[in-house]
């Protein structure tokens, strides 16, 4: 394993854990949505580490394609969560 | 090439777009697409019964580079259940929504949910599973929020947060799998996975993510408020189909992909959580004040039974005994799917008719809504596990497998769970048969009561009497455990 892989991999795991802790401990909806995104960033970083093959080498394209899909999903999920949180805060219901 | 496999996914997807464009006719598109999807799923099941396992490489790209769709007995059985329940709930929904805005929003989301569900059942690689899981989660949240009340919005937001966390854990497991084995294709993985730390960590992450979505005790906390506050047809699909999709993936991972890396202790842990779910869910269902909350807690309990099968399946040697237990598990899942959707649809009729679903004030329901009360009773029969329901045979298989493998602990759990289910069913029926001066016609709302009745009849009679066919169907061609045996 390359040292870069270890550093990036551990950072990814660390972000995942920080995000997880945030989702479980925070009460505010906005903080929890942000924490999920931190969590997701950790997972994506792990994917990027998996794709890395060393300096000057072409990265493995499959994990990168997966990260792109993952980011698209995360963006839409965040949008839905924010919309719901806003509706809740406005107290607007029929 | 089996391009037939794309239709159960493509039809609802196209229908969803159609309903979005042509929203004034959305309900007609919804029911029409439901019928066509059922037809396509039946063709897939028939082709499977003739030829055994089916596979389709999308766009002609072979697995490894492309994405494969696959069908085996388990997937085909769940595909049939999902198409039937979705059609019944769609017919029901044509008469359910009175608000035009909600009606216009409901249909595209509904068909998207069905498309995501079918794509998940047919998915052949783990990343495709992640994508379909997210699609399913997002559409389910949007539909659950259609209830419109503050309680349903709050429940939907929590459902979304918890679900996203579950999919993140699943995705982290996918990354580890790719790092360790260099492929995402489930069949390819099955031949590569060995008992080693990378496989264990990946399995733990993926299973943990799925357990959140399958609402296994103690991760079930989000389910009762979400399912109890969603519109009735949505609750039916959430309880009968969406949580079961997550369980289906647990089963697929444990029995197919990670077969070589499992330990009995891990399966026993899931069994213990399942046992706790059976007892806690049934107890809370008995104490519930509202009918829909009762149904939601009963789902927590019934999902617990499904997890009880895992330690038994792992302890049984491959052969007829294991196939019988697996058949029992599938039969249990199918029966619960039909019974619980019927119960939620019936609860919706009661709520719309009486303006509430408080169990203590249900008096007179039996006179005012005789068919719906009959549906409550029939689905109760299936939830308790009385003959001739499918649950009866499934619990029989569960208990006989527990005896053969010497895992006695599960026997009192099943017994106690069934007693509690009997208690909560009869508590509802007792109130429903209470006195009242109101008397109604025999059939109050045909488009709502008949689908519920048909679902309940499938759960209690058809699945129980036709169970032999299901066992034969499951063992056709490549069995679920076929990769390793």
């Amino acid at each position: 394993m390359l040292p870069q892989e270890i550093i990036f991999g551990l950072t990814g795991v660390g972000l995942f854990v920080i995000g997880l802790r945030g989702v479980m401990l925070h009460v505010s909806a906005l903080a929890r949505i942000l924490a999920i995104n931190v969590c997701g960033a950790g997972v994506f970083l792990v994917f990027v580490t998996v794709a890395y093959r060393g300096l000057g080498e072409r990265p493995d394209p499959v994990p990168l394609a997966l990260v792109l899909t993952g980011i698209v999903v995360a963006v839409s999920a965040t949008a839905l969560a924010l919309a719901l949180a806003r509706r809740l805060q406005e107290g607007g219901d029929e | 090439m089996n391009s037939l496999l794309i239709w159960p996914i493509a039809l609802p997807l196209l229908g969803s777009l159609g309903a979005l464009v042509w929203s004034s006719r959305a309900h007609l598109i919804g029911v029409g697409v439901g019928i066509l999807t059922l037809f396509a799923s039946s063709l897939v099941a028939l082709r499977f019964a003739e030829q055994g396992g089916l596979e389709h490489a999308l766009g002609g790209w072979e697995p490894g580079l492309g994405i494969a769709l696959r069908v085996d007995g388990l997937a085909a059985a769940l595909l049939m259940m999902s198409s039937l329940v979705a059609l019944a709930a769609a017919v029901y929904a044509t008469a359910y929504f009175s608000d035009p805005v909600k009606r216009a929003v409901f249909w595209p989301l509904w068909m998207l949910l069905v498309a995501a569900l079918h794509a998940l059942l047919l998915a052949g690689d783990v990343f495709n599973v992640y994508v379909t899981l997210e699609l399913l989660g997002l559409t389910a949240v949007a539909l659950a929020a259609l209830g419109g009340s503050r309680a349903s919005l709050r429940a939907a937001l929590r459902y979304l947060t918890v679900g996203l966390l579950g999919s993140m854990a699943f995705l982290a497991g996918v990354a580890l799998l790719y790092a360790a084995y260099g492929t995402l294709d489930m069949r390819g993985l099955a031949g590569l996975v060995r008992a080693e730390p990378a496989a264990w960590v990946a399995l733990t992450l993926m299973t943990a993510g799925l357990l959140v979505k399958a609402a296994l005790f103690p991760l079930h906390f989000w389910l009762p408020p979400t399912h109890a506050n969603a519109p009735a047809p949505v609750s039916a699909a959430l309880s009968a189909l969406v949580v079961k999709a997550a369980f289906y993936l647990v089963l697929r991972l444990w029995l197919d992909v990670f077969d070589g890396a499992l330990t009995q202790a891990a399966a026993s842990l899931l069994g213990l959580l399942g046992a706790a779910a059976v007892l806690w869910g049934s107890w809370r269902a008995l104490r519930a004040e509202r009918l829909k909350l009762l149904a939601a807690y009963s789902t927590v309990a019934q999902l617990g039974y499904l997890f009880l099968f895992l330690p038994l399946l792992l302890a049984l040697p491959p052969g007829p005994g294991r196939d019988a237990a697996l058949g029992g598990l599938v039969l249990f899942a199918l029966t619960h799917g039909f019974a619980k959707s019927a119960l939620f649809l019936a609860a919706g009729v009661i709520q719309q008719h009486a303006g509430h679903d408080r169990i203590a004030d249900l008096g007179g329901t039996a006179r005012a809504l005789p068919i719906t009360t009959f549906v409550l009773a029939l689905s109760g029969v299936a939830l308790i596990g009385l003959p001739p329901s499918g649950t009866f045979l499934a619990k029989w298989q569960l208990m006989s497998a527990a005896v053969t493998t010497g895992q006695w602990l599960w026997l009192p759990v099943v017994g106690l769970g069934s007693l509690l289910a009997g208690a909560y069913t009869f508590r509802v029926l007792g109130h429903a048969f209470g006195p009242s001066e109101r008397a109604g016609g025999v059939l109050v709302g045909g488009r709502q009561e008949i689908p519920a009745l048909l679902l309940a009849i499938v759960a209690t009679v058809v699945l129980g009497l036709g169970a032999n066919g299901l066992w034969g169907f499951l063992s056709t061609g490549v069995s679920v455990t076929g990769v390793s045996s």
Side-chain angles (χ1 to χ4, degrees), chain B residues 281-305:
Chain B
S282 305
W283 174 251
R284 290 300 302 263
L286 184 62
R287 307 277 301 160
E289 286 177 0
R290 290 175 45 212
L291 184 54
K292 286 181 83 178
L293 201 60
L294 178 149
Y297 271 113
S298 146
T299 298
V300 172
Q302 302 277 324
L303 287 166
Y305 285 108

Side-chain angles (χ1 to χ4, degrees), chain B residues 317-332:
Chain B
R322 187 171 164 157
D323 289 347
L326 188 65
L329 169 57
V330 177
L331 186 61
F332 201 107

Side-chain angles (χ1 to χ4, degrees), chain A residues 16 20 23 29 32 36 39-40 43-44 46-47 50 60 62-63 66 69-70 73-74 76-77 80-81 84-85 87-88 91-94, chain B residues 99 102 127 130-131 134 138 141-142 145 148-150 153-154 156-158 160-162 164-165 168-169 171-172 174-175 178-179 184 205:
Chain A
F16 182 78
L20 202 63
V23 178
R32 281 213 299 237
I36 286 178
C39 209
V43 176
F44 299 150
V46 171
F47 265 106
V50 171
D60 182 351
V62 175
L66 304 188
T69 317
V73 171
S76 5
L80 178 60
L84 281 175
R87 276 276 287 280
L88 254 181
D93 60 61
E94 336 21 342
Chain B
D99 179 0
K102 277 186 189 165
F127 188 73
Y130 163 74
V131 174
E134 287 285 34
L138 292 181
V141 167
S149 67
R150 269 188 88 71
L153 281 179
R154 195 173 297 120
L157 185 57
R158 181 148 70 154
L160 178 62
T161 327
V162 171
L164 280 178
L165 214 53
M168 283 303 161
L171 188 62
V174 172
Y178 188 79
L184 295 167
L205 280 169

